[in-house]
Amino acid sequence: MVSQVLMGGAIISVLLAGIGYMGSDIWLASTQWLLVAAVLALFGVYTRMES
């Protein structure tokens, strides 16, 4: 369950990065959203492996 939430957060972060790329940054810049997505995806994979 936790890994699915983290992966969902990664997908949302990628979508926010795409919106920021189109011209309207939401709270963070697009590159920062991509970094957040990478970290969330890594933790999602890590928690999936621990289960």
Side-chain angles (χ1 to χ4, degrees):
M1 178 65 183
V2 175
S3 65
Q4 290 177 346
V5 171
L6 290 170
M7 287 302 208
I11 291 171
I12 291 170
S13 297
V14 169
L15 292 175
L16 289 172
I19 292 170
Y21 175 73
M22 294 301 199
S24 151
D25 285 335
I26 299 174
W27 196 43
L28 295 176
S30 298
T31 53
Q32 293 168 331
W33 279 119
L34 290 176
L35 288 172
V36 169
V39 169
L40 288 174
L42 283 172
F43 277 119
V45 170
Y46 177 74
T47 56
R48 180 79 169 191
M49 289 174 39
E50 289 292 315
S51 300

